[in-house]
Coordinates of all heavy atoms in Angstrom, one line a residue:
I1396 N 92.6 69.2 93.6 CA 93.5 69.9 92.6 C 94.9 69.8 93.2 O 95.1 70.1 94.3 CB 93.0 71.4 92.5 CG1 91.6 71.4 92.0 CG2 94.0 72.2 91.6 CD1 90.9 72.8 92.1
V1397 N 95.8 69.4 92.3 CA 97.2 69.3 92.7 C 98.0 70.5 92.2 O 97.8 71.0 91.1 CB 97.8 68.0 92.1 CG1 99.3 67.9 92.5 CG2 97.1 66.8 92.6
V1398 N 98.8 71.1 93.1 CA 99.5 72.3 92.7 C 101.0 72.0 92.6 O 101.5 71.3 93.4 CB 99.3 73.4 93.8 CG1 100.1 74.7 93.5 CG2 97.8 73.7 93.9
C1399 N 101.6 72.6 91.6 CA 103.0 72.5 91.4 C 103.6 73.8 91.6 O 103.1 74.9 91.2 CB 103.3 72.0 90.0 SG 102.8 70.3 89.6
K1400 N 104.8 73.9 92.2 CA 105.5 75.1 92.4 C 107.0 74.9 92.0 O 107.7 74.1 92.6 CB 105.5 75.5 93.9 CG 106.1 76.9 94.2 CD 105.9 77.2 95.7 CE 106.5 78.5 96.0 NZ 106.3 78.8 97.4
G1401 N 107.4 75.6 90.9 CA 108.7 75.4 90.4 C 109.0 74.0 90.0 O 110.1 73.5 90.1
G1402 N 108.0 73.3 89.4 CA 108.1 72.0 88.9 C 108.1 70.9 90.0 O 108.2 69.7 89.7
I1403 N 107.9 71.3 91.2 CA 107.8 70.4 92.3 C 106.3 70.2 92.7 O 105.6 71.1 92.9 CB 108.6 70.9 93.6 CG1 110.1 71.1 93.2 CG2 108.4 70.0 94.8 CD1 110.9 71.8 94.2
L1404 N 105.9 68.9 92.8 CA 104.6 68.6 93.2 C 104.4 69.0 94.6 O 105.1 68.6 95.5 CB 104.3 67.1 93.0 CG 102.9 66.6 93.2 CD1 102.0 67.2 92.1 CD2 102.8 65.1 93.1
M1405 N 103.3 69.8 94.9 CA 103.0 70.3 96.2 C 101.7 69.6 96.7 O 101.1 68.8 96.0 CB 102.9 71.8 96.3 CG 104.3 72.4 95.9 SD 104.3 74.2 96.2 CE 104.2 74.3 97.9
K1406 N 101.3 70.0 97.9 CA 100.1 69.4 98.4 C 98.8 69.8 97.6 O 98.8 70.8 96.9 CB 99.9 70.0 99.9 CG 101.0 69.5 100.8 CD 100.9 70.1 102.1 CE 102.0 69.6 103.0 NZ 102.4 70.4 104.1
D1407 N 97.8 69.0 97.8 CA 96.5 69.3 97.1 C 95.9 70.5 97.7 O 96.1 70.9 98.9 CB 95.6 68.1 97.4 CG 95.9 66.9 96.6 OD1 96.7 67.0 95.6 OD2 95.4 65.8 96.9
I1408 N 95.1 71.2 96.8 CA 94.4 72.3 97.3 C 92.9 72.0 96.9 O 92.6 71.6 95.9 CB 94.9 73.6 96.5 CG1 94.2 74.8 97.1 CG2 94.7 73.5 95.1 CD1 94.9 76.1 96.6
S1409 N 92.0 72.2 97.9 CA 90.6 71.9 97.7 C 89.9 73.0 96.9 O 90.5 74.1 96.7 CB 89.9 71.8 99.1 OG 89.8 73.1 99.7
K1410 N 88.8 72.7 96.4 CA 88.0 73.6 95.6 C 87.7 74.8 96.4 O 87.7 76.0 95.9 CB 86.8 73.0 95.0 CG 87.1 72.0 93.9 CD 85.8 71.4 93.3 CE 86.1 70.4 92.2 NZ 84.9 69.8 91.7
S1411 N 87.4 74.6 97.7 CA 87.1 75.7 98.6 C 88.3 76.6 98.8 O 88.2 77.9 98.8 CB 86.5 75.2 99.9 OG 85.4 74.5 99.7
E1412 N 89.4 76.0 99.0 CA 90.7 76.8 99.2 C 91.0 77.5 97.9 O 91.5 78.6 98.0 CB 91.8 75.8 99.6 CG 91.7 75.2 100.9 CD 92.6 74.1 101.2 OE1 93.2 73.5 100.2 OE2 92.8 73.7 102.4
L1413 N 90.7 76.9 96.8 CA 90.9 77.6 95.5 C 90.1 78.9 95.4 O 90.6 79.9 94.8 CB 90.6 76.6 94.4 CG 90.9 77.2 93.0 CD1 92.4 77.5 92.8 CD2 90.5 76.1 91.9
E1414 N 88.9 78.9 96.0 CA 88.1 80.1 96.0 C 88.9 81.3 96.7 O 88.9 82.4 96.2 CB 86.8 79.9 96.6 CG 85.9 79.0 95.9 CD 85.2 79.6 94.7 OE1 85.1 80.9 94.7 OE2 84.9 78.9 93.8
V1415 N 89.5 81.0 97.8 CA 90.2 82.0 98.5 C 91.5 82.4 97.7 O 91.8 83.6 97.6 CB 90.7 81.4 99.9 CG1 91.6 82.4 100.7 CG2 89.4 81.1 100.8
M1416 N 92.2 81.4 97.1 CA 93.4 81.7 96.4 C 93.0 82.6 95.2 O 93.7 83.6 94.9 CB 94.0 80.4 95.8 CG 94.7 79.6 96.9 SD 96.0 80.5 97.8 CE 97.1 81.1 96.5
Q1417 N 91.9 82.3 94.5 CA 91.5 83.2 93.4 C 91.3 84.6 93.8 O 91.6 85.5 93.1 CB 90.2 82.6 92.7 CG 90.6 81.3 91.9 CD 89.4 80.6 91.4 OE1 88.3 80.7 92.0 NE2 89.6 79.8 90.4
F1418 N 90.7 84.8 95.0 CA 90.5 86.2 95.5 C 91.9 86.8 95.7 O 92.1 88.0 95.3 CB 89.7 86.2 96.8 CG 89.7 87.5 97.5 CD1 88.9 88.6 97.0 CD2 90.6 87.8 98.5 CE1 89.0 89.8 97.6 CE2 90.7 89.0 99.1 CZ 89.8 90.1 98.6
L1419 N 92.8 86.1 96.4 CA 94.1 86.7 96.6 C 94.9 86.9 95.4 O 95.6 87.9 95.3 CB 94.9 85.7 97.6 CG 94.4 85.7 99.0 CD1 95.1 84.6 99.8 CD2 94.6 87.0 99.7
W1420 N 94.8 86.1 94.4 CA 95.4 86.3 93.1 C 94.9 87.6 92.4 O 95.7 88.3 91.8 CB 95.3 85.1 92.1 CG 96.1 83.9 92.6 CD1 97.4 83.9 93.1 CD2 95.8 82.6 92.4 NE1 97.8 82.7 93.3 CE2 96.8 81.8 92.9 CE3 94.7 81.9 91.9 CZ2 96.8 80.4 92.9 CZ3 94.7 80.5 91.9 CH2 95.7 79.8 92.4
R1421 N 93.6 87.8 92.5 CA 93.0 89.0 91.9 C 93.4 90.3 92.6 O 93.6 91.3 92.0 CB 91.5 88.9 91.8 CG 90.9 88.0 90.8 CD 89.4 88.2 90.6 NE 88.7 88.1 91.9 CZ 88.2 86.9 92.4 NH1 88.5 85.8 91.8 NH2 87.6 86.9 93.5
N1422 N 93.4 90.2 94.0 CA 93.6 91.4 94.8 C 94.9 91.6 95.5 O 95.2 92.6 96.0 CB 92.5 91.4 95.9 CG 91.1 91.4 95.2 OD1 90.7 92.4 94.8 ND2 90.5 90.3 95.1
G1423 N 95.8 90.5 95.5 CA 97.1 90.6 96.1 C 96.9 90.7 97.6 O 96.0 90.0 98.2
E1424 N 97.8 91.4 98.3 CA 97.8 91.4 99.8 C 96.4 91.9 100.3 O 95.9 92.9 99.8 CB 98.9 92.3 100.3 CG 100.3 91.8 100.0 CD 101.3 92.7 100.6 OE1 101.0 93.8 101.2 OE2 102.5 92.4 100.5
S1425 N 95.9 91.1 101.2 CA 94.6 91.5 101.7 C 94.5 91.1 103.2 O 95.2 90.2 103.7 CB 93.5 90.6 101.0 OG 93.5 90.9 99.6
T1426 N 93.6 91.9 103.9 CA 93.4 91.6 105.3 C 92.3 90.5 105.4 O 91.6 90.2 104.5 CB 92.9 92.8 106.1 OG1 91.6 93.2 105.5 CG2 93.8 94.0 105.9
S1427 N 92.2 89.9 106.6 CA 91.2 88.9 106.9 C 89.8 89.5 106.6 O 88.9 88.8 106.1 CB 91.3 88.3 108.3 OG 91.2 89.4 109.2
V1428 N 89.6 90.7 107.0 CA 88.3 91.4 106.8 C 87.9 91.5 105.3 O 86.8 91.1 104.9 CB 88.2 92.8 107.4 CG1 87.0 93.5 107.0 CG2 88.4 92.7 108.9
E1429 N 88.9 91.8 104.5 CA 88.7 91.9 103.0 C 88.4 90.5 102.4 O 87.5 90.4 101.6 CB 89.9 92.5 102.3 CG 90.2 94.0 102.7 CD 91.5 94.5 102.3 OE1 92.5 93.7 102.2 OE2 91.6 95.7 102.1
I1430 N 89.2 89.5 102.9 CA 89.0 88.2 102.4 C 87.6 87.7 102.7 O 86.9 87.2 101.8 CB 90.1 87.2 102.9 CG1 91.4 87.6 102.4 CG2 89.8 85.8 102.5 CD1 92.6 86.9 103.1
V1431 N 87.2 87.8 104.0 CA 85.9 87.3 104.4 C 84.8 88.0 103.7 O 83.8 87.4 103.2 CB 85.8 87.5 106.0 CG1 84.3 87.3 106.4 CG2 86.7 86.5 106.7
K1432 N 84.9 89.4 103.6 CA 83.8 90.1 103.0 C 83.6 89.7 101.5 O 82.5 89.5 101.1 CB 84.2 91.6 103.0 CG 83.2 92.5 102.3 CD 83.6 94.0 102.4 CE 82.7 94.9 101.6 NZ 83.2 96.2 101.5
N1433 N 84.7 89.5 100.8 CA 84.6 89.2 99.4 C 84.2 87.8 99.1 O 83.4 87.5 98.2 CB 85.8 89.7 98.6 CG 85.9 91.2 98.5 OD1 85.3 91.8 97.7 ND2 86.6 91.8 99.4
V1434 N 84.9 86.9 99.8 CA 84.6 85.4 99.6 C 83.2 85.0 100.1 O 82.6 84.2 99.4 CB 85.7 84.6 100.2 CG1 85.4 83.1 100.1 CG2 87.1 84.9 99.6
S1435 N 82.8 85.6 101.2 CA 81.5 85.2 101.7 C 80.4 85.8 100.8 O 79.3 85.1 100.7 CB 81.3 85.7 103.1 OG 81.3 87.2 103.2
A1436 N 80.6 86.9 100.1 CA 79.6 87.4 99.2 C 79.4 86.5 98.0 O 78.3 86.4 97.5 CB 80.0 88.8 98.7
K1437 N 80.4 85.8 97.6 CA 80.3 84.9 96.5 C 79.8 83.6 96.9 O 79.1 82.9 96.1 CB 81.7 84.8 95.8 CG 81.7 84.0 94.6 CD 83.1 83.9 93.9 CE 83.0 83.1 92.7 NZ 84.4 82.9 92.1
N1438 N 80.1 83.1 98.1 CA 79.8 81.7 98.4 C 78.9 81.5 99.6 O 78.5 80.4 99.9 CB 81.1 81.0 98.8 CG 82.1 80.9 97.6 OD1 81.7 80.2 96.7 ND2 83.1 81.6 97.6
D1439 N 78.5 82.6 100.3 CA 77.6 82.5 101.4 C 78.2 81.7 102.5 O 77.5 80.9 103.2 CB 76.2 82.1 101.0 CG 75.2 82.3 102.1 OD1 75.3 83.4 102.8 OD2 74.2 81.5 102.2
W1440 N 79.5 81.7 102.7 CA 80.2 81.0 103.8 C 80.3 81.9 105.0 O 80.4 83.1 104.9 CB 81.6 80.5 103.4 CG 81.6 79.5 102.3 CD1 80.6 78.7 101.9 CD2 82.7 79.3 101.3 NE1 81.0 77.9 100.8 CE2 82.2 78.2 100.5 CE3 83.9 79.8 101.2 CZ2 83.0 77.7 99.5 CZ3 84.7 79.3 100.2 CH2 84.3 78.3 99.3
K1441 N 80.4 81.3 106.2 CA 80.6 82.0 107.4 C 82.1 82.5 107.5 O 83.0 81.8 107.0 CB 80.2 81.2 108.6 CG 78.8 80.7 108.6 CD 77.9 81.7 109.1 CE 76.5 81.1 109.2 NZ 75.4 82.0 108.7
S1442 N 82.3 83.5 108.3 CA 83.7 84.0 108.5 C 84.6 82.9 109.0 O 85.8 82.8 108.6 CB 83.7 85.3 109.3 OG 83.2 85.0 110.6
N1443 N 84.2 82.1 110.0 CA 85.0 81.1 110.6 C 85.4 80.1 109.5 O 86.6 79.6 109.5 CB 84.3 80.4 111.7 CG 84.2 81.2 113.0 OD1 84.9 82.2 113.1 ND2 83.4 80.8 113.9
T1444 N 84.5 79.7 108.6 CA 84.8 78.8 107.6 C 85.9 79.3 106.7 O 86.9 78.6 106.3 CB 83.6 78.5 106.7 OG1 82.6 77.9 107.6 CG2 83.9 77.5 105.6
I1445 N 85.8 80.6 106.3 CA 86.7 81.2 105.4 C 88.1 81.3 106.0 O 89.1 81.0 105.4 CB 86.2 82.6 104.9 CG1 85.0 82.4 104.1 CG2 87.3 83.3 104.1 CD1 84.2 83.7 103.9
M1446 N 88.1 81.7 107.3 CA 89.4 81.8 108.0 C 90.1 80.5 108.2 O 91.3 80.4 108.3 CB 89.3 82.6 109.3 CG 89.0 84.1 109.0 SD 90.0 84.9 107.8 CE 91.7 84.7 108.5
T1447 N 89.3 79.4 108.4 CA 89.8 78.1 108.5 C 90.5 77.7 107.1 O 91.6 77.2 107.1 CB 88.7 77.0 108.8 OG1 88.2 77.3 110.1 CG2 89.3 75.6 108.7
L1448 N 89.9 78.1 106.0 CA 90.5 77.8 104.7 C 91.8 78.6 104.6 O 92.8 78.1 104.1 CB 89.5 78.2 103.6 CG 88.2 77.4 103.5 CD1 87.2 78.0 102.5 CD2 88.5 76.0 103.1
V1449 N 91.8 79.9 105.0 CA 93.0 80.7 104.9 C 94.1 80.1 105.8 O 95.2 79.9 105.3 CB 92.7 82.1 105.4 CG1 94.0 82.9 105.6 CG2 91.8 82.8 104.4
S1450 N 93.8 79.6 107.0 CA 94.7 78.9 107.9 C 95.3 77.7 107.2 O 96.5 77.4 107.3 CB 94.1 78.6 109.2 OG 93.7 79.7 109.9
R1451 N 94.5 76.9 106.6 CA 95.0 75.7 105.9 C 96.0 76.1 104.7 O 97.0 75.4 104.5 CB 93.8 74.9 105.3 CG 93.0 74.2 106.3 CD 91.9 73.5 105.7 NE 91.0 72.9 106.7 CZ 89.8 72.5 106.4 NH1 89.3 72.5 105.2 NH2 89.0 72.0 107.4
L1452 N 95.6 77.2 104.0 CA 96.5 77.6 102.9 C 97.8 78.1 103.5 O 98.9 77.9 102.8 CB 95.8 78.7 102.1 CG 94.6 78.2 101.3 CD1 93.8 79.4 100.8 CD2 95.1 77.4 100.1
V1453 N 97.8 78.8 104.6 CA 99.1 79.2 105.3 C 99.9 77.9 105.7 O 101.1 77.9 105.4 CB 98.8 80.1 106.5 CG1 100.1 80.3 107.3 CG2 98.2 81.4 106.0
A1454 N 99.2 77.0 106.3 CA 99.9 75.8 106.7 C 100.5 75.0 105.6 O 101.6 74.3 105.7 CB 98.9 74.9 107.5
K1455 N 99.9 75.0 104.4 CA 100.3 74.3 103.2 C 101.4 75.1 102.5 O 102.0 74.5 101.6 CB 99.2 74.0 102.3 CG 98.2 73.0 102.8 CD 97.0 72.8 101.8 CE 96.1 71.7 102.3 NZ 95.0 71.5 101.3
G1456 N 101.7 76.3 102.9 CA 102.7 77.1 102.3 C 102.3 77.8 101.0 O 103.1 78.3 100.2
F1457 N 101.0 78.0 100.8 CA 100.5 78.7 99.6 C 100.2 80.2 99.9 O 100.1 81.0 98.9 CB 99.1 78.0 99.1 CG 99.3 76.6 98.7 CD1 98.3 75.7 99.0 CD2 100.4 76.2 97.9 CE1 98.4 74.4 98.6 CE2 100.5 74.9 97.5 CZ 99.5 73.9 97.9
V1458 N 100.0 80.5 101.1 CA 99.7 81.9 101.5 C 100.6 82.2 102.7 O 100.9 81.4 103.6 CB 98.2 82.0 101.9 CG1 97.9 83.4 102.6 CG2 97.3 81.8 100.7
E1459 N 101.1 83.5 102.8 CA 101.9 84.0 103.9 C 101.0 84.9 104.7 O 100.3 85.7 104.2 CB 103.1 84.7 103.3 CG 104.0 85.2 104.4 CD 105.2 86.0 103.9 OE1 105.1 86.5 102.8 OE2 106.2 86.0 104.6
S1460 N 101.2 84.9 106.0 CA 100.5 85.8 106.9 C 101.6 86.7 107.6 O 102.5 86.2 108.1 CB 99.7 85.1 107.9 OG 100.4 84.3 108.8
V1461 N 101.4 88.0 107.5 CA 102.4 88.9 108.0 C 101.6 89.9 108.9 O 100.6 90.5 108.4 CB 103.1 89.7 106.9 CG1 104.1 90.7 107.4 CG2 103.8 88.7 105.9
K1462 N 102.1 90.1 110.1 CA 101.5 91.1 111.0 C 102.1 92.5 110.7 O 103.4 92.6 110.7 CB 101.8 90.7 112.4 CG 100.5 90.8 113.3 CD 100.8 90.4 114.7 CE 99.8 89.4 115.1 NZ 99.9 89.0 116.5
N1463 N 101.3 93.5 110.5 CA 101.9 94.8 110.3 C 102.1 95.5 111.7 O 102.0 94.9 112.7 CB 101.1 95.6 109.3 CG 99.7 96.0 109.9 OD1 99.4 95.8 111.1 ND2 98.9 96.7 109.1
K1464 N 102.3 96.8 111.7 CA 102.6 97.5 112.9 C 101.5 97.4 114.0 O 101.8 97.2 115.1 CB 102.9 99.0 112.7 CG 104.1 99.3 111.9 CD 104.3 100.7 111.7 CE 105.4 101.0 110.7 NZ 105.5 102.4 110.4
G1465 N 100.3 97.4 113.5 CA 99.1 97.2 114.4 C 99.0 95.7 114.6 O 99.9 95.0 114.4
E1466 N 97.8 95.3 115.0 CA 97.5 93.9 115.2 C 96.9 93.3 113.9 O 96.4 92.2 113.9 CB 96.6 93.7 116.4 CG 97.3 94.0 117.7 CD 98.6 93.1 117.9 OE1 98.5 91.9 117.8 OE2 99.6 93.7 118.2
L1467 N 96.9 94.1 112.8 CA 96.3 93.6 111.6 C 97.2 92.6 110.9 O 98.4 92.8 110.8 CB 96.1 94.8 110.7 CG 95.1 94.7 109.5 CD1 93.7 94.4 110.0 CD2 95.1 96.0 108.7
I1468 N 96.6 91.5 110.4 CA 97.3 90.5 109.7 C 97.0 90.6 108.2 O 95.9 90.7 107.8 CB 97.0 89.1 110.2 CG1 97.4 88.9 111.7 CG2 97.7 88.0 109.3 CD1 96.9 87.6 112.3
I1469 N 98.1 90.7 107.4 CA 98.0 90.8 106.0 C 98.3 89.4 105.4 O 99.3 88.8 105.8 CB 99.0 91.8 105.4 CG1 98.8 93.2 106.1 CG2 98.9 91.9 103.9 CD1 97.5 93.8 105.8
Y1470 N 97.5 88.9 104.5 CA 97.7 87.7 103.8 C 98.1 87.9 102.4 O 97.5 88.8 101.7 CB 96.4 86.8 103.9 CG 96.0 86.4 105.3 CD1 95.2 87.2 106.0 CD2 96.6 85.3 105.9 CE1 94.8 86.9 107.3 CE2 96.3 85.0 107.2 CZ 95.4 85.7 107.9 OH 95.1 85.4 109.2
K1471 N 99.1 87.2 101.9 CA 99.4 87.3 100.5 C 99.8 85.9 99.9 O 100.3 85.1 100.6 CB 100.6 88.3 100.3 CG 101.9 87.9 101.0 CD 102.9 89.0 100.7 CE 104.3 88.6 101.4 NZ 105.3 89.6 101.1
P1472 N 99.4 85.8 98.6 CA 99.7 84.5 98.0 C 101.2 84.3 97.7 O 101.9 85.2 97.4 CB 99.0 84.6 96.6 CG 98.8 86.0 96.4 CD 98.8 86.7 97.7
L1473 N 101.7 83.1 97.9 CA 103.1 82.7 97.7 C 103.3 82.0 96.4 O 104.4 81.7 96.0 CB 103.6 81.9 98.9 CG 103.7 82.6 100.2 CD1 104.2 81.6 101.3 CD2 104.6 83.8 100.1
I1474 N 102.2 81.6 95.8 CA 102.2 80.9 94.5 C 101.4 81.7 93.5 O 100.5 82.4 93.8 CB 101.7 79.4 94.6 CG1 100.2 79.4 95.0 CG2 102.6 78.6 95.5 CD1 99.6 78.1 94.9
S1475 N 101.8 81.6 92.2 CA 101.1 82.3 91.2 C 100.0 81.4 90.6 O 100.1 80.2 90.7 CB 102.1 82.8 90.1 OG 102.7 81.7 89.5
E1476 N 99.1 82.1 90.0 CA 98.0 81.4 89.4 C 98.5 80.6 88.2 O 98.2 79.6 87.9 CB 96.9 82.4 89.0 CG 95.6 81.8 88.6 CD 94.5 82.8 88.3 OE1 94.7 84.0 88.3 OE2 93.3 82.3 88.2

């Protein structure tokens, strides 16, 4: 799947990565625990697999990771559905 942002062609997003994006689009800012809990329930994927997908989405610029006051990391989508 090819993603465009502001009319600019961006990197491909895999079907698996799209599952994570769809969760973030529905729920907005989410912690890794929330992402893993919800995505794994739908796909029966292990937490490491899901967090690898999240890391790829961050590296591709589709998702932002922000550390809050604690050590909790919040993930939020940078592109709209």
